Amino acid sequence: MNKRNWKKIGLGLLASGVVLGLAACGNSSDSAGGSDSGSSGDKTTVDIFQFKVEFKDQFEELAKKYEEENPDVKINVETVGGGSDYGAALKSKFSSGNEPDIFNIGGPEDVDMWIDSLTDLSETKAADQALEGTLTGATKDGKVLGLPYNIEGYGVLYNKEIFEKAGIDAEAITTLTDLEDAAKTLEKKKDELGIDAPFALAAKEQWITGLQGSNAFLNAEFDNDVMKAFEADKVEFTYGDQFKKYIDISNKYSVQPTNSLDYSQQVEQLFSNGKVAMTQQGNWVYTTIEDIDEELATENIGLLPIPIDGVTEGTIPVGVPMYWGVNPNGSDEEVQAAKDFLDYLYTSDEGKQIVLEDFKFVPAYEGYDTDKISDPLSKDVYTYYTEGKTTGWVFMGYPSGWGEQTLGAQIQKYVAGEASWEEVLKTSQDKWAAERK
C-alpha cells in the first residue's frame, strides 16, 4: 500500500471517555499476565491497557511470542471494551496510581485530556511508516502523541444469502431510499426468509447511534475534517432530516424494543445467527461472526452504504478507530520497551503478518501486502477506499462525551416515543454550544 492522503478520511476518531467502547464492542474485562509494573527481576515490564475486545486473544498470543523473542521483557495485557466504558476505566487506572505503559486514546479531545501522559513518538519506526494523514488526529504542536491502530470502516452489515433469497440487489443500494426499499421487501418476506426482522438497531449502545450513526451525517457538515468538528462552536445538523430518515428506517424495521438491544444481542444472537438481514457495524466484527458461523463470515456478509442522498451516495465512513499512547511517567527502560513493542507490532515482518492475518486489520502503515487482507469485510472497506467511496470520521472532534451521553441518549428517547426529533436536535445543539463556550 502506497502512502495516500488520509486527511479527508477523518483521522480522528472516537471520543474521549467516550466510547472507547466504540469500535470494539462486546462485553469484556480481562487481563493476561497480571498487572505488576516496573521490572520483574531483570525483566522490564510493559503494562498494556487496551479497548479492542475483538482481537484480545490474538493480541495476548502476540505478547507471548514477543516475550519469547525478547526474554528481558514482560508484557501484560488487559482488555476493557464494549459494554464496559474504557474511558472511565482508563481514568480509574491512572487515579489509582496503577498507570499502564501503553494505552488507547482517540483524537483531539483525548490528546488534550491526556497530554501530560503521552510520550512524543515522532521518532519511532511506526510513526515514520504511518500512512499520510493517519497521524493527524493524535498530533499536537508537531509531536506525534499516538500511533494508529489500523484503518476501519463501517456501514450497514448485510447477509448476502438472505438478500439473494429476497431478490434484493445489494449493489444497487446507494441511497437511503434504496435502503428503505430493501427493508420493506425484507419485512414483507420475513416469514418465508425465516428472519425475526429486517434490521437490528442496537440503540442501547449509544455509540452506535450517537457516534457512528451521527458521523455519517455530520461528516459532510464538517467537510470530513475532524479538526473542523473539534474547533466548531456549534453544530447545525445540516443533514438532520436524512439522519432522522436513517434512524427511522433502522428502528421501524428492527427487532424490538431497540433500546434493549445491546452489542451482544445485535451481532452475536441476531445477525450471526441469521435472525436479521442488516445491522449497523464495521469490519471489526468479523472475528466475532466467524467464531459463531464461519460460513456466514467467509461467504455471506458485506457492507452497504450509510449515505446522505444527493451528497455522499454509495459511501461508507472510513478512518482510524484509536491510537496507541505511551506513558512517559515510567522508567526510561519501560518507555523504550513500549516504543520497541509498538515498532515490532507494525514494522517487523512477523508483526506485519500477524496484523494482516491474525488481527485481520486493514493496516494504517506502509510496507504491507494488501492483497493478503483476508476477511471479506476488510476487503470491502479497502475496496470502498481504493474506489474513492469513503467519507471521514469526525466524531472524535465532538465535545467530550457529547456523542454518547447527549445525542445517543436523546435518540434513545426518540425511538421510545419520549422525545420528538426536533427536541433531539435542539437538546444536542444546546449541549454542544455549552461545551464549547
Side-chain angles (χ1 to χ4, degrees):
M1 183 188 290
N2 295 323
K3 273 198 172 183
R4 302 178 185 273
N5 189 344
W6 280 83
K7 292 178 181 177
K8 290 294 182 183
I9 292 194
L11 310 175
L13 324 142
L14 290 174
S16 50
V18 166
V19 46
L20 299 152
L22 155 325
C25 305
N27 299 298
S28 178
S29 178
D30 300 287
S31 62
S35 60
D36 54 311
S37 1
S39 59
S40 177
D42 293 330
K43 294 186 178 183
T44 299
T45 298
V46 176
D47 292 326
I48 302 175
F49 190 65
Q50 72 96 26
F51 88 110
K52 187 166 277 298
V53 173
E54 289 86 352
F55 84 141
K56 182 182 83 73
D57 293 341
Q58 296 91 328
F59 193 54
E60 291 174 2
E61 285 300 314
L62 168 72
K64 291 177 183 177
K65 184 173 294 186
Y66 186 80
E67 289 176 340
E68 293 172 0
E69 298 178 9
N70 298 271
D72 58 336
V73 177
K74 172 67 177 173
I75 305 288
N76 295 325
V77 179
E78 185 174 358
T79 299
V80 173
S84 301
D85 186 337
Y86 176 85
L90 181 61
K91 291 176 183 177
S92 179
K93 274 280 186 186
F94 273 81
S95 63
S96 71
N98 189 20
E99 299 184 10
D101 299 294
I102 298 175
F103 60 99
N104 298 147
I105 58 171
E109 288 280 356
D110 273 7
V111 169
D112 279 357
M113 179 183 297
W114 295 103
I115 191 69
D116 294 330
S117 300
L118 294 171
T119 300
D120 185 358
L121 302 175
S122 302
E123 301 303 318
T124 60
K125 294 179 182 177
D128 182 62
Q129 294 185 24
L131 295 177
E132 185 176 352
T134 57
L135 298 172
T136 302
T139 298
K140 185 169 185 175
D141 298 329
K143 296 179 180 179
V144 175
L145 300 175
L147 298 172
Y149 242 88
N150 61 342
I151 291 166
E152 293 183 341
Y154 65 92
V156 176
L157 187 66
Y158 76 101
N159 184 309
K160 294 181 179 180
E161 184 177 16
I162 294 175
F163 268 49
E164 183 176 352
K165 288 180 179 178
I168 299 171
D169 180 6
E171 293 185 1
I173 298 176
T174 61
T175 68
L176 287 177
T177 300
D178 296 335
L179 184 66
E180 184 174 27
D181 289 343
K184 289 178 179 177
T185 298
L186 291 164
E187 177 68 22
K188 290 177 183 177
K189 299 181 178 182
K190 68 180 182 180
D191 290 338
E192 63 182 90
L193 294 171
I195 59 176
D196 293 344
F199 214 94
L201 172 63
K204 185 175 182 179
E205 305 284 4
Q206 295 169 338
W207 58 269
I208 288 178
T209 56
L211 287 177
Q212 293 182 352
S214 69
N215 174 81
F217 301 91
L218 287 177
N219 55 47
E221 180 173 333
F222 295 117
D223 297 326
N224 288 321
D225 188 335
V226 67
M227 296 308 297
K228 285 189 176 182
F230 180 61
E231 295 165 358
D233 293 330
K234 59 183 178 179
V235 58
E236 298 285 359
F237 285 108
T238 305
Y239 303 100
D241 56 340
Q242 297 214 41
F243 184 22
K244 176 183 183 296
K245 183 175 181 179
Y246 174 66
I247 293 295
D248 286 346
I249 295 168
S250 304
N251 185 56
K252 179 178 180 179
Y253 297 101
S254 175
V255 171
Q256 298 292 328
T258 54
N259 278 337
S260 296
L261 292 186
D262 61 15
Y263 173 89
S264 177
Q265 292 168 305
Q266 173 201 27
V267 177
E268 298 170 8
Q269 297 178 28
L270 294 171
F271 187 83
S272 295
N273 284 300
K275 297 299 183 180
V276 297
M278 298 183 287
T279 194
Q280 180 191 302
Q281 273 299 341
N283 63 304
W284 54 84
V285 302
Y286 175 79
T287 54
T288 299
I289 298 172
E290 184 184 37
D291 287 343
I292 297 170
D293 188 333
E294 185 174 0
E295 182 179 353
L296 171 65
T298 56
E299 298 180 14
N300 287 313
I301 53 177
L303 284 174
L304 296 173
I306 306 180
I308 301 174
D309 291 356
V311 181
T312 57
E313 294 181 3
T315 63
I316 65 169
V318 172
V320 177
M322 198 66 76
Y323 296 85
W324 298 103
V326 171
N327 190 345
N329 300 323
S331 67
D332 291 344
E333 291 80 10
E334 289 163 357
V335 172
Q336 188 59 52
K339 292 179 180 179
D340 290 344
F341 176 76
L342 293 174
D343 278 342
Y344 163 84
L345 174 60
Y346 289 112
T347 68
S348 72
D349 290 341
E350 186 173 44
K352 289 178 182 179
Q353 180 180 353
I354 291 170
V355 164
L356 274 177
E357 298 178 16
D358 294 344
F359 295 176
K360 302 188 186 303
F361 282 179
V362 178
Y365 300 85
E366 291 182 307
Y368 285 75
D369 183 357
T370 52
D371 289 337
K372 292 184 178 179
I373 294 174
S374 56
D375 77 80
L377 292 183
S378 292
K379 286 181 180 178
D380 276 359
V381 170
Y382 190 66
T383 298
Y384 271 103
Y385 167 62
T386 55
E387 293 181 355
K389 297 178 180 178
T390 60
T391 57
W393 283 18
V394 299
F395 54 91
M396 214 30 221
Y398 295 176
S400 179
W402 179 86
E404 288 187 284
Q405 298 160 22
T406 299
L407 182 54
Q410 286 299 309
I411 291 173
Q412 288 177 333
K413 290 183 178 181
Y414 174 70
V415 299
E418 298 172 358
S420 68
W421 187 251
E422 290 73 21
E423 290 171 331
V424 169
L425 299 190
K426 181 64 165 59
T427 299
S428 300
Q429 287 172 323
D430 289 348
K431 183 64 174 179
W432 181 298
E435 290 293 317
R436 289 289 161 83
K437 284 184 178 179

